[in-house]
């Protein structure tokens, strides 16, 4: 089951509870500003970068402040029976951790997602940023729907080294990453929620792995593209080009995605 709703999560998901929440919410204003600050403006639209002409689309949604993170966690912590997983930047990672901990959850040290070569610091003033932070937390007590204590969930990867992909919207995360996170932080038959669904990658991963998927996206155009991608509506003539060119790896499912190995926790999980 896939249920993708249109609107603000506060309005569309008020009736939802889930087994796992896996979200790639907006990053900090600093990260958004750094991304768009390098863009060249053409006819009022940021379309490229100043340094070597490489294409860089602007982020068309607002970065989050700490108050947005706290409000989000306050809303969803009572609705999430199991793991909460947030992909974020180094600015907001401690805010996510503190907000989850304030709800009595056990918060782990942030996990790195390393996308090798994904961002090049073309200003030439320091190191490139290949890493995002993944903040995860679980209930301190309680069991999953199968009666297994969350404290006995099992050993999970300490990092995810997965190459970035070109998605249907700016900021789209690679399917391989979301497959790995869904696999690691939920069980088959669980309900996985993504309140900031974007291009629908988390929902696609959850569906492929036998979970129910529910999410929300507030931008109508992005919601439409995600709905087409997820098979919730038929593509129009305007959709045909990008729909045809979307990453063919989406058809491969979980096959070839290795399980975590304690010997090699940095192994690339790309299918």
């Amino acid at each position: 089951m896939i249920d993708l709703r249109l609107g603000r999560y506060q309005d569309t998901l008020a009736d939802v509870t889930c087994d796992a929440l896996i979200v790639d919410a907006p990053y900090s204003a600093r990260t958004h500003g750094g991304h768009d600050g390098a863009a060249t403006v053409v006819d009022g639209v940021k379309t490229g970068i100043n340094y070597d002409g490489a294409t860089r689309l602007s982020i068309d949604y607002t970065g989050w402040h700490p108050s947005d993170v706290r409000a989000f966690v306050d809303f969803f912590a009572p609705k999430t029976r199991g793991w909460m997983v947030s992909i974020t930047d180094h600015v907001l990672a401690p805010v996510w951790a503190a907000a989850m901990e304030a709800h009595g959850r056990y918060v782990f040290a942030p996990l790195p997602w390393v996308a090798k070569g994904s961002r090049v610091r073309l200003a030439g003033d320091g190191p490139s940023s290949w890493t995002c932070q993944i903040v995860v937390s679980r209930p301190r007590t309680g069991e999953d729907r199968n009666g297994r204590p969350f404290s006995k969930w099992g050993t999970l990867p300490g990092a995810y080294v997965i190459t970035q992909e070109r998605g249907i919207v700016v900021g789209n995360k690679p399917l391989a990453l979301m497959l790995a996170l869904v696999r690691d932080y939920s069980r088959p038959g669980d309900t996985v929620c993504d309140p900031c669904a974007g291009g629908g990658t988390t929902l696609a991963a959850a569906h492929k792995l036998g979970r129910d998927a529910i999410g929300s996206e507030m931008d109508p155009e992005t919601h439409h593209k995600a709905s087409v991608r997820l098979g919730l509506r038929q593509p129009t003539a305007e959709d045909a080009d990008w729909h045809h060119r979307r990453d063919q790896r989406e058809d491969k499912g979980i096959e070839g995605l290795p399980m975590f190995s304690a010997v090699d926790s940095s192994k690339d999980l790309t299918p």
Side-chain angles (χ1 to χ4, degrees), residues 21-270:
L21 183 139
I22 302 176
V23 65
D24 176 35
Y27 293 179
S28 69
R30 173 180 174 178
T31 295
H32 282 232
H35 178 281
D36 285 351
T40 300
V41 178
V42 178
D43 295 329
V45 178
K46 296 178 180 179
T47 58
I49 58 175
N50 293 327
Y51 306 110
D52 67 354
T55 300
R56 171 177 286 189
L57 297 177
S58 64
I59 300 175
D60 54 2
Y61 49 89
T62 304
W64 273 16
H65 295 278
S67 59
D68 297 309
V69 173
R70 289 189 285 267
F72 182 94
V73 175
D74 287 346
F75 187 86
F76 281 106
K79 298 174 175 291
T80 305
R81 289 185 287 267
W83 291 90
M84 298 183 75
V85 179
S86 171
I87 305 172
T88 188
D89 62 13
H90 70 288
V91 176
L92 290 180
V95 182
W96 280 99
M100 293 178 185
E101 191 169 22
H103 281 270
R105 301 179 66 85
Y106 188 93
V107 183
F108 292 79
L111 308 171
W113 163 41
V114 181
K116 294 180 289 186
S118 61
R119 302 170 188 85
V120 178
R121 195 168 185 87
L122 295 169
D125 63 343
S128 301
S129 175
W130 293 358
T131 304
C132 292
Q133 306 293 310
I134 305 175
V135 180
V136 301
S137 68
R138 59 163 172 78
R140 290 182 178 274
T141 60
E143 302 173 339
D144 65 16
R145 62 170 61 242
N146 297 315
R148 183 175 183 175
F150 288 108
S151 60
K152 303 296 183 183
W153 190 266
T155 300
L156 296 173
Y160 295 87
V161 184
I162 297 176
T163 304
Q164 178 63 288
E165 302 168 358
R166 182 178 295 276
I168 64 173
V169 297
V170 176
N172 217 116
K173 293 299 176 286
L175 180 63
L177 175 65
M178 305 321 295
L179 282 167
L181 292 176
V182 169
R183 177 200 65 194
D184 292 341
Y185 292 100
S186 67
R187 305 291 193 206
D190 281 354
T191 296
V192 173
C193 180
D194 180 2
C196 304
T201 306
T202 303
L203 305 186
H207 182 67
K208 286 178 179 293
L209 296 181
R211 281 70 162 167
D212 288 334
I214 185 167
S216 184
E217 170 54 45
M218 63 185 299
D219 179 69
E221 181 179 355
T222 301
H223 179 273
H224 172 80
K225 286 185 175 182
S227 297
V228 171
R229 176 190 186 190
L230 296 169
L232 301 177
R233 65 172 63 186
Q234 292 297 313
T236 65
E238 294 180 354
D239 299 327
D241 183 51
W242 66 261
H243 183 63
H244 174 72
R245 290 185 292 104
R246 77 186 192 279
D247 195 335
Q248 295 303 307
R249 280 182 293 182
E250 293 183 13
D251 297 326
K252 293 185 178 180
I254 192 65
E255 293 83 2
L257 187 65
M259 296 299 293
F260 169 62
S261 168
V263 176
D264 183 12
S265 61
S266 64
K267 188 174 182 179
D268 195 321
L269 296 177
T270 306

